[in-house]
């Protein structure tokens, strides 16, 4: 068991190396584009829209294009998505391109991102056996957390050293490199067929997901748990200021959650499938209850530890991924994983925005505590129904 077992499967090293390479480029591009937009406009609002445009299109791609992951061979879909993203980033390098065009190109990369994630997860389901599949998805999440943890800090330094334009050019190289790794280094997995148009098949997949009660409950659980546990991210800066620390200390809170997520994934991946299944509810509780301790207004270092504990609970996915796989017909897996990815991004964005709105009415520590209390109750209720 564990990540070594996954990496011994033919083609898996290329899959995960490609993921790491494209994640590095994606994070670097977000940093570079935010700075580039701010340099051109002097507007913090337009600069912040870079992150909004990175995540907002996930909902559109997940709803309208989810069937692409099932209609075509996964390797072809993955390579095409990487090349589309590379072309969009390359177009951003055109001198004098209006800010609106930059954001539009970023929106397009966001539309194809959930299709890429769905096709990759569906291909893992074909290439890995049922016991290794959740470990494979865990490794993808761990790589993403490591990249995000280091990427924003390194990206800011890189922009200062070489400038945002060169960093965007590097992103083009990473997407092309990812396409090459996938195209030449991963095994072929066949398409599962098509019955109508892309949009019709996508809507059919949504109806299948909604009509399958056990599957619907599992997917909702995979969305709602991080929706509540990510709320402190939206209040990290406000909370650090509340404690009397400098606003820059909020980075410790962001880092705490990511570090906890990485450690949780590493630890859970070494357990047996049966143990991971038994730990689903304890890990869900671990993801929610630390926020309740914010009622005492802990110092920033203690708050970072609490968020690290909360982040480690995200490994609960390793226990429910096999259940989701068993509940889904093979012909719908690409659509399922695309919808799951897009829904996850959308609901986290909404929950962070909601936390910010509530934080204007209550103190940040009280808002975080409230999120922990409500999240514990709601996620426990969903978990008991989904796992019954």
């Amino acid at each position: 068991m564990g990540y070594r077992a996954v990496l011994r499967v033919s083609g898996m090293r290329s899959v995960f190396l490609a993921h790491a390479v494209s994640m590095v480029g994606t994070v670097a591009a977000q940093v570079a584009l935010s700075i580039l937009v701010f340099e051109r406009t002097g507007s913090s609002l337009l600069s912040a829209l870079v992150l909004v445009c990175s995540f907002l299109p996930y909902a559109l791609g997940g709803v309208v294009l989810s069937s692409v992951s099932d209609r075509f061979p996964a390797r072809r879909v993955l390579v095409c998505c990487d090349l589309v993203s590379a072309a969009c980033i390359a177009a951003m390098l055109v001198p004098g391109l209006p800010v609106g065009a930059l954001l539009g190109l970023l929106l397009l990369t966001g539309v194809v991102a959930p299709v890429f994630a769905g096709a990759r997860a569906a291909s893992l389901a074909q290439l890995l056996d049922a016991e290794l599949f959740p470990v494979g998805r865990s490794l993808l999440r761990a790589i993403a957390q490591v990249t995000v943890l280091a990427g924003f800090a390194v990206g800011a330094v890189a922009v200062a050293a070489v400038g945002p334009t060169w960093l965007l050019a590097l992103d083009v190289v990473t997407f092309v490199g990812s396409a090459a790794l996938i195209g030449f280094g991963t095994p072929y997995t066949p398409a599962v067929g098509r019955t109508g148009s892309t949009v019709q098949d996508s809507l059919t997949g949504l109806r299948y997901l909604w009509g399958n009660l056990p599957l619907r409950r599992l997917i909702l659980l995979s969305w709602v748990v991080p929706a509540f546990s990510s709320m402190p991210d939206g209040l990290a800066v406000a909370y650090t200021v509340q404690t009397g620390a400098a606003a820059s200390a909020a980075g410790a809170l962001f880092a705490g959650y990511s570090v906890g997520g990485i450690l949780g994934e590493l630890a859970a991946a070494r357990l047996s499938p049966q143990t991971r299944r038994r730990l689903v509810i304890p890990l869900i509780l671990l993801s929610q209850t630390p926020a309740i301790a914010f009622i005492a207004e802990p110092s920033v270092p203690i708050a970072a530890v609490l968020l690290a504990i909360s982040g480690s609970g995200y490994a609960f996915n390793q226990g429910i991924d096999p259940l989701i796989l068993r509940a889904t017909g093979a012909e719908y897996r690409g659509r399922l994983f695309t919808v799951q990815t897009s829904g996850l991004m959308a609901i986290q964005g909404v929950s962070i925005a909601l936390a910010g709105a509530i934080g204007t009415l209550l103190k940040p520590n009280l808002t975080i505590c409230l999120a922990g209390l409500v999240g514990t109750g709601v996620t426990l209720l969903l978990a008991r129904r989904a796992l019954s």
Side-chain angles (χ1 to χ4, degrees):
M1 301 305 299
Y3 294 157
R4 290 182 181 179
V6 171
L7 294 174
R8 282 196 292 267
V9 176
S10 176
M12 287 298 101
R13 293 179 185 272
S14 294
V15 169
F16 293 105
L17 181 58
H19 178 58
V21 168
S22 62
M23 276 297 300
V24 167
T26 299
V27 173
Q30 289 177 1
V31 174
L33 201 55
S34 296
I35 294 174
L36 183 64
V37 169
F38 185 77
E39 286 179 348
R40 287 190 182 180
T41 65
S43 169
S44 57
L45 174 61
L46 288 175
S47 180
L49 280 178
V50 169
L51 290 180
V52 175
C53 291
S54 297
F55 298 121
L56 186 64
Y58 269 77
L60 176 63
V63 171
V64 179
L65 300 177
S66 63
S67 66
V68 172
S69 303
D70 289 321
R71 290 166 64 88
F72 302 98
R75 187 169 62 188
R76 186 190 308 170
V77 173
L78 294 172
V79 170
C80 287
C81 286
D82 269 338
L83 293 180
V84 168
S85 297
C88 289
I89 301 299
M92 294 178 187
L93 298 174
V94 175
L97 198 66
V99 170
L102 290 173
L103 296 178
L105 290 167
L106 187 61
L107 283 170
L108 185 55
T109 64
V111 169
V112 303
V115 177
F116 182 94
R120 183 179 55 205
S123 68
L124 286 182
Q126 294 187 52
L127 297 172
L128 300 175
D129 61 39
E131 290 189 356
L132 285 181
F133 172 73
V135 182
R137 293 199 81 189
S138 167
L139 182 52
L140 290 174
R141 290 191 294 268
I143 291 171
Q145 289 281 18
V146 170
T147 307
V148 170
L149 183 62
F152 285 106
V154 174
V157 173
V159 168
V162 302
T165 301
W166 281 105
L167 206 56
L168 285 174
L170 174 63
D171 191 30
V172 176
V173 175
T174 62
F175 276 118
V176 172
S178 174
L181 285 166
I182 293 170
F184 298 106
T186 60
Y188 173 84
T189 53
V192 296
R194 63 185 79 178
T195 57
S197 69
T198 297
V199 175
Q200 286 175 337
D201 280 355
S202 297
L203 295 177
T204 299
L206 287 175
R207 287 192 291 268
Y208 170 82
L209 170 59
W210 185 253
N212 186 329
L213 182 60
L215 180 59
R216 186 172 77 214
R217 286 176 172 173
L218 289 167
I219 295 299
L220 284 174
L221 183 63
S222 74
W223 288 347
V224 173
V225 172
F228 281 104
S229 65
S230 63
M231 279 188 167
D233 281 356
L235 296 167
V237 175
Y239 180 76
T240 55
V241 173
Q242 179 187 348
T243 63
S248 58
L253 303 186
F254 295 125
Y257 191 84
S258 294
V259 169
I262 295 165
L263 295 177
E265 296 286 1
L266 289 170
R270 301 177 66 86
L271 303 175
S272 68
Q274 295 78 12
T275 302
R276 291 197 298 264
R277 171 64 177 80
R278 289 195 296 268
L279 287 176
V280 168
I281 290 181
L283 287 172
I284 288 175
L285 285 173
L286 199 64
S287 74
Q288 305 299 318
T289 53
I292 300 174
F294 277 76
I295 189 69
E297 198 176 320
S299 64
V300 170
I302 295 176
V305 172
L306 288 171
L307 292 185
I309 295 171
S310 176
S312 68
Y314 196 58
F316 84 97
N317 281 290
Q318 293 191 45
I320 68 167
D321 275 347
L323 304 179
I324 292 174
L325 195 63
R326 286 200 296 268
T328 310
E331 69 276 18
Y332 289 102
R333 284 175 180 168
R335 278 167 280 188
L336 164 75
F337 293 127
T338 302
V339 170
Q340 185 186 27
T341 300
S342 59
L344 176 63
M345 297 299 293
I347 198 170
Q348 281 186 290
V350 170
S351 66
I352 290 173
L354 180 61
I358 297 174
T360 62
L361 305 174
L362 301 175
K363 289 183 177 181
N365 71 308
L366 296 179
T367 305
I368 294 172
C369 175
L370 180 63
L373 288 169
V374 177
T376 298
V378 171
T379 54
L380 268 182
L381 179 63
L382 285 175
R384 292 189 180 279
R385 290 182 174 180
L387 303 175
S388 60

